[in-house]
Amino acid sequence: MNAVNYQNVMEELIRAHCTDASVPKLLLHSCCAPCSSYCIAYLAEYFQVTVFYYNPNIYPPEEYHMRAKEQERFVREFPTRYPVSFVEGRYDSERFYQMAAGMEDLPEGDRRCFSCYELRLREAAEYAKAHDYAFFTTTLSISPLKNAAKLNEIGAALEKEYGVRYLFSDFKKKDGYKKSIEISKEYHMYRQYYCGCVFSKRDRDAQIAAQKTEEREE
């Protein structure tokens, strides 16, 4: 069975709903400024975008606040066709740890990550419903390390639950990830070395330590 091309699905939705006479409101959940860069550049050609920064998974708090400020700075400085605004959600990290209970030792990309996708997308769907957005989506699919099919599956379920259209996406397509890196460099963004949570930091630090050990032994 052929995989769904979510880039094509997104383009079809845009053609159907976005015209010069109709510029829908879209809530864009963002995981970080670098990942949001290309997504904002693309989406703000068709939508009135609000960047919704909700990431209770990020550890430690200093890292969270650094990423949030970088996101706000980019929104403020980046020129777009249609206006882009910024909203920061609550940093309720205890909610993330409750969600992750029992899954602390799972590897990156496993069920813990899928639950984290759902946690953040659900908050976005709730916000979009409460504030009359026509669409919601997330920047997460731009990462080569994130499961776009799972993200879109969760988004589709939340669309049915909340009654707000989910904009299917796979932003890494058509060199989206490469373009995000280029924009990040242009705006001198802080680029983190791990996904965000304490578990991803633990695993990434272990990988780096192992690499350094191998280099010393060569």
Side-chain angles (χ1 to χ4, degrees):
M1 185 171 65
N2 293 329
V4 176
N5 187 321
Y6 290 106
Q7 174 70 25
N8 289 344
V9 176
M10 178 173 67
E11 290 174 357
E12 290 172 5
L13 282 168
I14 288 172
R15 282 193 294 270
H17 295 278
C18 303
T19 67
D20 288 340
S22 176
V23 185
K25 290 172 57 182
L26 179 143
L27 189 74
L28 174 64
H29 164 263
S30 177
C31 55
C32 64
C35 286
S36 78
S37 59
Y38 169 71
C39 303
I40 292 172
Y42 182 90
L43 293 171
E45 288 293 308
Y46 309 102
F47 297 93
Q48 297 178 60
V49 176
T50 297
V51 174
F52 182 58
Y53 188 81
Y54 177 72
N55 299 290
N57 56 309
I58 295 176
Y59 170 88
E62 295 81 5
E63 179 77 13
Y64 168 85
H65 293 298
M66 186 187 312
R67 296 190 195 189
K69 288 179 180 178
E70 192 72 336
Q71 179 68 80
E72 187 174 15
R73 177 181 73 87
F74 179 70
V75 169
R76 184 172 63 250
E77 295 180 0
F78 189 67
T80 56
R81 179 183 183 187
Y82 293 117
V84 177
S85 56
F86 172 79
V87 170
E88 183 176 353
R90 291 187 301 125
Y91 181 47
D92 46 356
S93 57
E94 187 57 35
R95 186 179 178 191
F96 168 76
Y97 291 115
Q98 290 173 355
M99 176 225 80
M103 297 187 285
E104 294 89 346
D105 295 329
L106 292 178
E108 282 292 290
D110 209 312
R111 288 185 297 111
R112 186 186 65 239
C113 292
F114 298 162
S115 295
C116 188
Y117 298 169
E118 199 272 343
L119 172 68
R120 290 183 281 173
L121 278 170
R122 178 173 295 279
E123 189 75 8
E126 289 181 358
Y127 189 95
K129 176 73 172 181
H131 295 84
D132 297 320
Y133 283 83
F135 290 88
F136 75 103
T137 193
T138 180
T139 64
L140 285 165
S141 71
I142 201 168
S143 170
L145 302 177
K146 299 294 187 291
N147 188 318
K150 179 58 70 172
L151 284 163
N152 285 292
E153 175 187 314
I154 292 168
L158 292 170
E159 175 183 309
K160 291 180 181 179
E161 183 175 347
Y162 287 92
V164 181
R165 293 292 299 268
Y166 180 75
L167 186 70
F168 294 92
S169 68
D170 190 353
F171 287 113
K172 70 179 72 64
K173 298 288 188 180
K174 295 189 175 180
D175 288 330
Y177 180 65
K178 178 182 177 182
K179 291 172 183 175
S180 74
I181 293 174
E182 292 169 352
I183 298 172
S184 299
K185 290 180 178 177
E186 180 183 353
Y187 281 80
H188 307 288
M189 286 187 199
Y190 163 68
R191 292 185 64 86
Q192 59 273 10
Y193 75 94
Y194 63 101
C195 177
C197 73
V198 65
F199 313 114
S200 66
K201 186 177 188 301
R202 172 198 65 197
D203 294 347
R204 184 63 182 137
D205 286 345
Q207 290 174 356
I208 292 171
Q211 290 169 359
K212 289 180 179 177
T213 299
E214 290 178 5
E215 291 169 0
R216 287 196 299 268
E217 293 175 350
E218 288 180 352

